[in-house]
Amino acid sequence: MALIVAIGVSIGMAPGTASAYNSYTGAAYVKDSWSTSSAEGVVNLNTNDQSGATCLWQAILWADGAWIADKGRRFYQSDIDGIFGWDSHQATRSWQNRHGLSVDGSAGKYSWARAERQLTYWSGGGDTARTYYRGKKPNGADTGRGFWLTRDSQGRWSFDEPGTGRNIYASYETSTKKSRCL
């Protein structure tokens, strides 16, 4: 199945609404607007911790140059693996602090809504959209990083994984235990 690149909307391997991987009970994908009223699902150490939605969140951390304090380094492209572990937790905390949010290391509706501000519509019509996530410049960096996303006609988001270019649906249900972000 071809994947579509998009930000702001959940995209997954199949359409529809279902109970997501682990505990979120709502849309099966990151979907439509990421505003606080959309109540996007949570990704953290205990919830949807191995999913396409986690892959998308990690791409955001990478693009924005989030910091992993206990390792003294930025969140690397190679850290995008779809598994929300300690590095993702620490990077999410630094990302939240940088963006003036409550710092808890859990990417919930306020984190998703803040990330939505970095989306730039590029092309498409009707219900579909090709969008670019333009990362913020980390302190001391010349430029920010970014990646492409696509929202399909059902409002589901997918994105091009930085480094590989593979299109990945931002599904809460897709486990990533056996392969990177797929």
Side-chain angles (χ1 to χ4, degrees):
M1 168 189 282
L3 295 180
I4 299 174
V5 177
I7 289 191
V9 176
S10 298
I11 294 184
M13 303 311 282
T17 300
S19 177
Y21 180 76
N22 279 344
S23 65
Y24 176 65
T25 56
Y29 303 96
V30 176
K31 196 164 180 181
D32 298 319
S33 168
W34 296 347
S35 69
T36 56
S37 63
S38 70
E40 198 54 63
V42 172
V43 294
N44 62 26
L45 289 167
N46 300 307
T47 306
N48 304 311
D49 58 329
Q50 296 180 19
S51 66
T54 293
C55 285
L56 174 56
W57 183 253
Q58 290 173 330
I60 290 167
L61 295 173
W62 165 79
D64 283 338
W67 188 255
I68 303 171
D70 61 354
K71 290 191 175 176
R73 67 167 175 86
R74 300 264 175 229
F75 196 84
Y76 295 150
Q77 193 174 56
S78 61
D79 291 323
I80 303 170
D81 62 4
I83 300 170
F84 198 106
W86 187 250
D87 290 353
S88 296
H89 176 77
Q90 290 296 309
T92 298
R93 289 178 58 83
S94 78
W95 187 93
Q96 290 169 326
N97 184 58
R98 182 172 182 210
H99 291 282
L101 299 173
S102 293
V103 176
D104 62 5
S106 178
K109 68 179 182 177
Y110 294 107
S111 295
W112 286 107
R114 177 60 187 90
E116 183 182 37
R117 295 184 194 177
Q118 301 303 118
L119 297 179
T120 302
Y121 169 79
W122 194 264
S123 65
D127 294 329
T128 62
R130 183 140 170 93
T131 306
Y132 191 74
Y133 185 89
R134 186 170 313 281
K136 295 184 69 92
K137 295 179 191 178
N139 293 339
D142 294 331
T143 60
R145 302 175 182 118
F147 58 94
W148 289 100
L149 300 108
T150 302
R151 186 179 69 219
D152 71 10
S153 63
Q154 295 179 25
R156 300 170 302 170
W157 287 96
S158 67
F159 67 101
D160 289 340
E161 182 182 30
T164 69
R166 291 181 300 171
N167 190 270
I168 298 168
Y169 281 100
S171 167
Y172 292 104
E173 297 179 327
T174 305
S175 175
T176 56
K177 289 181 181 180
K178 295 182 181 174
S179 65
R180 287 180 54 90
C181 292
L182 292 177

